[in-house]
Amino acid sequence: MVRKLAGLLVTLLATSFVIFGASYAAPGDPVTFLAGGKENLTPEYLAAVRAEYHLDDPFLVQYARWLGDAVTGDLGRSTQYNDQVFDLLMARLPSTLGLVAYAATLFVGFGIALGVLAAVRGGRTDSAVVAGTTFATSVPPFVVATALISLFGVQLGWFPVMGGGSLWHLTLPAVTLALGALAIISRVTRQSMVEQRELDHVTVARASGLSERLIVVRHVLRGALGPIVTMCGLVTAGMLAGTVTVETAFGLNGVGSLLVNAINTHDFPVTQAVMLLMVAAYILVTTLVDLAQPLIDPRVRRRA
C-alpha cells in the first residue's frame, strides 16, 4: 500500500512537471496574453506584469511556486474569465462528472451484455457483435455526435441537442461518449469468457449436470470479472479527457469545453489546472481499480 501511494505521488509530481514545462515552452510570450490587450503593451506595463507573475524567475523557481500553490488549492486566476481557476473547475465539474457517470453506466451495462451474448451464443451472433463493435471503434466521436444530432435532435426531435441541466439533455452526449468504450468492453468480456469456458472447472461443472445459465453466471462470468473490471476502470478513467470533443459538440459547460476555450484564448492557468485534474483523476481511478483487484479475483490475492 505504501509503495503504491508513493508511486502515485511520484507520478503526479512528474506529470505536473511535464504540464508546467509544456506551458512554459509554448510558442509566444505569456506576458502579451496576461497584459490583456494591445493598448496595454507598453514597456512599463509589461515589466509590471512580469514582476506580478514572477515571469523573470528561473523555470524551476516558477514551477516550485506554482506547485506549492496548487497543493494548497490555489490554482491561480484565469486571464480570460478574471476568476479563480478553482472556482471555475468547481462550477463545471458536476456537469462533466454527470456525463461520465451516465456514459459509464451505458457502456458497462450494454458492453458486458453484448460480450456475454457473443461468447455464449457464438456463430452468427458472435460475428455480428464483433463486426458491430469494430465499426463503432472506427467512427470518431465528432462524427457520431454529428450523426446523432442530425437524426435524433433535428429530424426526429426526440432529444435536445445543446446545453445540459437534465438527464434527457445528457443522453445524446453520453451515447456519443460511451459508444467506443462499449465496443472495447464487449470485446474484453467476450474474450475473457471464451477463455474461461475452456477451463477444467467449467468442464467439471458442465459434466455434473448444472444448467448452462448457472454455469455461465457462477463459473464463467465470475472468473472473467477481473479483466472486465480492470478495463472498465481504465476506460472510465480516460473518459474525462474524452469529454473535450463531446462537450464542445453539444455545447455543454463542462471541464472539457473549459479546456478548449482556455487553449484557444491562451489561458495558461486554466489549461494547466484542467490537464492536471484529468491526469490526477486517471491515476486515482486506475489505482483504485488496482487495489480492488484482490477483492474481485481471489487468484490475484493468493499471488500477492
Side-chain angles (χ1 to χ4, degrees):
M1 177 67 72
V2 176
R3 182 180 299 177
K4 290 182 179 180
L5 290 177
L8 175 64
L9 293 177
V10 171
T11 304
L12 285 174
L13 184 63
T15 302
S16 67
F17 184 83
V18 172
I19 291 173
F20 186 84
S23 301
Y24 184 87
D29 190 352
V31 72
T32 59
F33 305 112
L34 296 172
K38 294 183 178 180
E39 65 277 3
N40 297 323
L41 298 182
T42 61
E44 295 78 10
Y45 186 77
L46 293 179
V49 171
R50 286 185 175 277
E52 179 182 357
Y53 290 93
H54 308 281
L55 297 178
D56 290 328
D57 292 344
F59 168 74
L60 292 179
V61 174
Q62 294 185 43
Y63 167 70
R65 182 180 292 108
W66 172 78
L67 182 62
D69 292 340
V71 170
T72 60
D74 183 7
L75 300 174
R77 193 172 189 85
S78 169
T79 58
Q80 173 68 16
Y81 300 96
N82 195 27
D83 197 1
Q84 291 295 324
V85 176
F86 182 83
D87 294 337
L88 291 173
L89 290 178
M90 291 300 101
R92 303 227 184 183
L93 195 57
S95 176
T96 298
L97 292 180
L99 174 60
V100 171
Y102 194 177
T105 303
L106 293 177
F107 82 73
V108 170
F110 287 101
I112 293 178
L114 286 175
V116 171
L117 183 65
V120 172
R121 291 289 182 85
R124 293 184 177 180
T125 302
D126 186 17
S127 300
V129 171
V130 172
T133 54
T134 301
F135 176 75
T137 309
S138 64
V139 181
F142 68 89
V143 176
V144 176
T146 304
L148 293 179
I149 290 173
S150 176
L151 179 59
F152 295 104
V154 177
Q155 296 183 21
L156 298 178
W158 292 355
F159 298 94
V161 297
M162 298 295 289
S166 69
L167 201 63
W168 199 245
H169 283 81
L170 291 178
T171 298
L172 291 184
V175 171
T176 303
L177 190 60
L179 190 60
L182 184 151
I184 296 174
I185 298 304
S186 65
R187 287 188 170 191
V188 171
T189 303
R190 172 191 172 276
Q191 184 61 35
S192 298
M193 291 193 63
V194 168
E195 293 175 357
Q196 289 294 320
R197 293 187 72 180
E198 303 298 328
L199 297 181
D200 294 339
H201 73 278
V202 176
T203 304
V204 172
R206 188 175 289 111
S208 64
L210 292 177
S211 65
E212 190 64 24
R213 176 176 296 182
L214 199 61
I215 291 174
V216 169
V217 174
R218 286 190 177 181
H219 298 279
V220 180
L221 182 58
R222 186 178 180 182
L225 278 180
I228 295 173
V229 172
T230 300
M231 186 55 64
C232 287
L234 292 176
V235 173
T236 303
M239 268 193 169
L240 197 61
T243 59
V244 172
T245 302
V246 175
E247 289 181 355
T248 303
F250 289 94
L252 298 176
N253 289 324
V255 174
S257 59
L258 179 65
L259 177 61
V260 173
N261 294 332
I263 293 175
N264 291 334
T265 58
H266 303 282
D267 195 343
F268 294 115
V270 173
T271 303
Q272 293 168 344
V274 173
M275 293 179 66
L276 187 61
L277 172 66
M278 290 182 173
V279 175
Y282 183 87
I283 295 174
L284 177 61
V285 172
T286 53
T287 302
L288 292 176
V289 171
D290 188 30
L291 294 175
Q293 275 297 316
L295 303 177
I296 299 169
D297 191 346
R299 293 170 297 182
V300 177
R301 183 165 60 250
R302 286 195 295 267
R303 287 196 298 266

